[in-house]
Amino acid sequence: MSLADHSDIVRPYEEPPPGHVSGSRLERVLRSGRFAVTAELNPPDSADPADVFEAARPLGEVADAINATDASGANCHMSSIGISALLTRAGYGTVYQISCRDRNRIAIQGDVLGAAAMGVRNLLCLTGDGVAVGDQPGARPVFDFDSVSLLRTVRTMRDEGVFLSGRKITRPPRMFIGAAENPCIEPLDWRPDRLAKKVAAGADFIQTNYIFDMPRFERFMARVRDLGLHERVFILAGVGPLASAKAARWMRANVPGIHIPDEVIARMEGAARPGEEGKRLCIELIRQIRAVKGVAGVHVMAYRREHQVSEIILESGVLEGRKPRGRGRG
Amino acid sequence: MYRVRLFANRHARSFEWLYQRLEAVMVALDPLFAKIGYGRVEAPVALVERGVKGLLFDCRMCGQCVLSSTGMSCPMNCPKELRNGPCGGVRPGGYCEVKPWMRCVWVLAWEGAARMQGGDKIREVLPPVDRSLKGSSAWLRVSREKAAQLREAREAARTALARAFPGARANEPSAAPLADEPAAATGRETRR
C-alpha cells in the first residue's frame, strides 16, 4: 500500500533541515538561540483522548514542547508513547519520556521507531524511579538499560542507522535526544561529570529536576562551563510552583531526588496566600536561572498546578513575545 | 557483606594493584587453560571467583566485571543495576533511594575511583549488561581476551615484514621470513 492510501492519517516522514538532527520545534528554538520553555503534562488515568487534550491545553500556549511522562514515580497512567502520538497529531511539540524501569532493550528500540513513525521528534532518556515508591511495589523492576546506555543506543539508531544488534534500520528515527540531570542532589561534586558522560553518550539537550537552591545550581553550572559542556548541550533548568509549605515538605520527604532548602519552606510557611507565593517564587527562580550563563531554557513541572503555568511563563517574560503554539512538526 | 564491601572500596588503590597482578597471572596461565580446555576450567574458576568476589564486593556474577572502572564498587549492587553513574534519587549524605540504609553504590564508586590510578576509566560510557553471561567467570573471559590480543600483537609484529613485501615472500620465502630473528642477530641469549 502506498502512502496515498492513508494520506488522511499519515504524514510523510520528513528529514530534518541541514544542521538539525530532528527538525523538531524545540530543536529549532534552541539552535536559534532563543530561550526555550518545556512543560510537563499530568497524564490521565483514562483511555479518552479528550482527557489528554484537556491536560495539554493550559501548557500548549507557552511551551515549545510538552513532556509526556513515562509512569513517573512508578505510578500507572496512560503511556507516554500514546500521549506523545496524540499531541503530535494535534500540532503540539512533545517530549516522549522513556524510563528504563519497565521495558527491556527489545521493547524500547521498537518503541523509538514507533514514536518516530507517529511524528514524535523529541525523546527524553531516564533511569526511572524505583518500583517501591509507586502504586504497584510488587512489580518487577527491569532496568535492562541505564539512562546512559539508552542514550547511546538511540544515538546509534539515529546516526548509524542500526539496532544494537547491528541490523540495519531502513529509515532511522530522527530524534532530538534528551537526558535528565539533578544538579542539587548528591554526589554534588560528581554531577557535572555525570552530565559529561551523558553528553558523550549522545544527549542533545538536558532537562533538570527541580531547582530550588540557586547557590547549588550556580556551583553546578560553573563547573559545567569549566568543562565546556554548555556549548555542547542545551540545558533546560527544572522549575515548578509549590502549593504550600506542607506540600513542599511532603515532596521533599516522599518524592525521590527533590531538594528544597529550609529557607524556601520557611518562606512558604510565612505566606498569607501560599498558592500565590509559590507562583511568585517560581517566577523569581526563572528570572534568576535565566541570568545564569549556559542555561538555554526552563522545564516547568507544575504537578496539579498546571493552571498556573501560562501565568508563570508570561509574567517571567522569558518568551519575549514569542508564541510557541502553532501547528507544525512536533 | 556490606562492611567488607565498604572496606574494599576504601582500599580501592590496593585492590586495583592486586587485580592487575591477578590478571597477569591469569594471562600467563592461558596456555595451560587452553590445554585443559576453557570449557573445563570454567566451572571451578567461576566457583572460586564467586566465593572471593562475593565476600569482597558482594559480587552478583554478572559475568562482565567492571570493578576497575567503577572504583571497586560493584554496580550490580545498585538496585537499578546502573552501570554509568548514580540516578537522580540519591538521598542526603549519599544514601540509596531504594535501600535508604545503604550508601549509594555510585557515590562510593566515584570516591573509590578518585583513589585509583586508572580511576579515570569511570568516565567511559559502558554498554548495557549482556544478561546471557550471568554466572560465567569474568576473570577467565578477560584473561582469555588479553592473551588472545597479546598473541595477535606478537603475530602482527612477526608478519609485518612479510606483509610489506608480499611479492618477495612469494618468490623467496627466506627474504621475508615469518619467524623471529635468531638470537645471534639480536644479541640475546636463546632460552632453548
Side-chain angles (χ1 to χ4, degrees), chain A residues 49-61:
Chain A
D51 292 333
V52 175
F53 297 126
E54 179 69 31
R57 195 165 343 107
L59 312 173
E61 58 178 1

Side-chain angles (χ1 to χ4, degrees), chain A:
Chain A
M1 266 188 272
S2 75
L3 194 62
D5 297 332
H6 298 296
S7 55
D8 52 335
I9 54 161
V10 179
R11 271 190 242 158
Y13 192 88
E14 288 180 59
E15 291 294 331
H20 291 61
V21 292
S22 72
S24 78
R25 188 183 306 145
L26 179 61
E27 183 181 8
R28 292 199 306 267
V29 168
L30 286 168
R31 288 205 195 278
S32 68
R34 286 169 292 178
F35 198 78
V37 176
T38 56
E40 188 174 286
L41 178 129
N42 184 13
D45 293 340
S46 154
D48 187 349
D51 292 333
V52 175
F53 297 126
E54 179 69 31
R57 195 165 343 107
L59 312 173
E61 58 178 1
V62 290
D64 295 300
I66 296 175
N67 277 54
T69 56
D70 185 7
S72 74
N75 290 304
C76 221
H77 304 291
M78 187 193 286
S79 72
S80 55
I81 195 165
I83 294 171
S84 302
L86 282 171
L87 292 180
T88 303
R89 290 299 158 89
Y92 292 99
T94 55
V95 178
Y96 163 44
Q97 299 195 180
I98 305 183
S99 137
C100 299
R101 179 193 54 236
D102 306 318
R103 276 163 303 151
N104 70 6
R105 66 192 78 179
I106 300 173
I108 289 179
Q109 291 176 80
D111 278 348
V112 169
L113 291 188
M118 305 262 223
V120 179
R121 288 291 176 272
N122 311 297
L123 170 157
L124 186 71
C125 301
L126 300 169
T127 300
D129 300 313
V131 294
V133 297
D135 63 346
Q136 311 193 34
R140 180 191 178 113
V142 178
F143 298 111
D144 191 21
F145 280 132
D146 56 36
S147 57
V148 182
S149 53
L150 172 58
L151 278 168
R152 180 59 68 79
T153 301
V154 180
R155 191 184 76 180
T156 304
M157 290 173 72
R158 182 191 72 194
D159 294 350
E160 318 292 328
V162 291
F163 292 109
L164 268 197
S165 63
R167 199 148 46 78
K168 203 169 156 35
I169 299 169
T170 53
R171 212 63 184 292
R174 297 300 175 200
M175 289 288 189
F176 194 43
I177 307 172
E181 189 45 79
N182 207 347
C184 303
I185 290 291
E186 295 200 38
L188 295 171
D189 291 346
W190 302 116
R191 288 283 165 195
D193 295 275
R194 177 177 180 259
L195 182 70
K197 216 166 160 173
K198 290 194 167 185
V199 173
D204 300 312
F205 72 96
I206 299 291
Q207 291 176 317
T208 78
N209 208 323
Y210 289 105
I211 308 293
F212 287 110
D213 191 333
M214 280 308 289
R216 275 195 187 181
F217 182 62
E218 276 173 33
R219 258 200 314 278
F220 170 83
M221 285 304 297
R223 177 86 181 116
V224 164
R225 289 193 299 270
D226 286 347
L227 295 169
L229 296 173
H230 65 302
E231 284 163 355
R232 295 168 61 201
V233 73
F234 299 105
I235 298 171
L236 285 78
V239 291
L242 292 167
S244 64
K246 196 177 151 214
R249 272 204 206 90
W250 185 88
M251 273 168 70
R252 187 163 74 167
N254 295 295
V255 184
I258 295 185
H259 164 72
I260 306 175
D262 293 335
E263 306 91 81
V264 169
I265 292 184
R267 179 174 158 181
M268 291 299 293
E269 199 103 85
R273 293 170 62 201
E276 278 304 299
E277 189 64 20
K279 190 180 113 181
R280 250 201 313 279
L281 174 76
C282 187
I283 293 170
E284 281 169 30
L285 281 170
I286 291 176
R287 288 185 179 147
Q288 288 171 31
I289 283 168
R290 200 193 174 179
V292 177
K293 188 167 176 258
V295 177
V298 283
H299 174 50
V300 191
M301 294 165 281
Y303 180 65
R304 290 194 178 157
R305 323 252 344 136
E306 284 85 358
H307 57 281
Q308 289 185 324
V309 172
S310 276
E311 293 167 37
I312 288 171
I313 293 300
L314 294 175
E315 280 180 40
S316 74
V318 292
L319 287 178
E320 295 173 329
R322 223 158 45 77
K323 286 202 172 59
R325 178 77 163 95
R327 297 186 82 84
R329 277 170 303 170

Side-chain angles (χ1 to χ4, degrees), chain B:
Chain B
M1 262 197 343
Y2 183 51
R3 276 170 189 284
V4 183
R5 190 199 326 160
L6 293 183
F7 169 86
N9 178 251
R10 272 199 305 278
H11 297 86
R13 176 75 195 91
S14 311
F15 279 100
E16 180 187 30
W17 182 87
L18 210 65
Y19 249 64
Q20 285 160 352
R21 298 290 89 73
L22 174 72
E23 188 181 290
V25 171
M26 294 287 285
V27 171
L29 285 173
D30 171 69
L32 179 67
F33 290 152
K35 205 167 180 185
I36 303 171
Y38 268 93
R40 269 195 224 149
V41 291
E42 170 73 35
V45 172
L47 191 73
V48 175
E49 187 174 334
R50 185 187 294 270
V52 173
K53 281 175 28 184
L55 174 72
L56 287 172
F57 309 109
D58 279 345
C59 164
R60 306 293 161 101
M61 290 300 277
C62 69
Q64 302 134 81
C65 192
V66 288
L67 278 170
S68 55
S69 295
T70 60
M72 291 288 164
S73 168
C74 170
M76 300 313 274
N77 284 299
C78 164
K80 302 182 184 178
E81 297 189 348
L82 303 183
R83 304 276 279 194
N84 281 297
C87 70
V90 182
R91 290 168 192 268
Y95 286 87
C96 174
E97 172 199 320
V98 182
K99 298 179 178 174
W101 50 267
M102 182 176 93
R103 301 242 18 237
C104 166
V105 165
W106 278 98
V107 169
L108 294 177
W110 281 101
E111 287 173 9
R115 296 185 191 111
M116 288 163 63
Q117 254 178 0
D120 249 9
K121 282 197 278 182
I122 200 168
R123 295 174 200 281
E124 208 58 53
V125 176
L126 295 180
V129 182
D130 182 341
R131 314 281 161 174
S132 65
L133 298 178
K134 191 170 171 62
S136 65
S137 166
W139 285 354
L140 272 185
R141 181 164 303 105
V142 170
S143 57
R144 191 181 188 178
E145 267 177 31
K146 275 264 160 75
Q149 266 170 18
L150 285 174
R151 255 198 318 276
E152 228 166 76
R154 273 200 304 271
E155 194 64 19
R158 207 161 73 88
T159 57
L161 187 78
R163 283 225 194 91
F165 299 92
R169 172 155 180 80
N171 294 329
E172 206 71 74
S174 65
L178 265 178
D180 296 315
E181 289 182 61
T186 58
R188 275 184 286 125
E189 285 285 336
T190 38
R191 285 215 186 133
R192 263 167 271 159

